[in-house]
Amino acid sequence: MTVSAFHNINQIEDSLWEAADQLRANSKLTSSEYCMPVLGVIFLRHASNRYDAALKAIEADRAAGKMPKRPLVKGTSSSDGR
C-alpha cells in the first residue's frame, strides 16, 4: 500500500473512533444500543492488525528466501459455477 492509502486508512480509523466516543459520551443511548457499531469498529481494528501481522510475516519469508515473489493476479470467483 502507498503512504497515501495508509494515511486515508488512518483518517477513517480516527474518524470511526471519534464517532464511537461521541456515541458513548454524548448520546442518551444505552450500552446495548450502541454496542453493535462500536463492536464493528473494534472488529475492523482487529482485522487490520491481523492483516498487518500477516503482511510482515510474508515480507520476512520473502526476504529469507522461503517464499518467491510473484506478481499479483486477479482471483477467480467460484460462485459463477466455472
Side-chain angles (χ1 to χ4, degrees), residues 8-61:
N8 290 340
I9 290 171
N10 286 336
Q11 284 181 330
I12 291 169
E13 181 181 328
D14 291 343
S15 177
L16 287 171
W17 279 113
E18 184 177 340
D21 285 342
Q22 290 297 324
L23 261 175
R24 181 188 55 78
N26 298 324
S27 73
K28 294 181 181 179
L29 298 174
T30 64
S31 61
S32 63
E33 293 171 321
Y34 69 77
C35 73
M36 292 310 288
V38 172
L39 288 174
V41 172
I42 292 169
F43 171 76
L44 288 174
R45 178 62 178 180
H46 172 72
S48 176
N49 289 344
R50 295 281 308 261
Y51 172 81
D52 291 340
L55 185 62
K56 286 179 184 175
I58 289 169
E59 289 172 350
D61 285 348

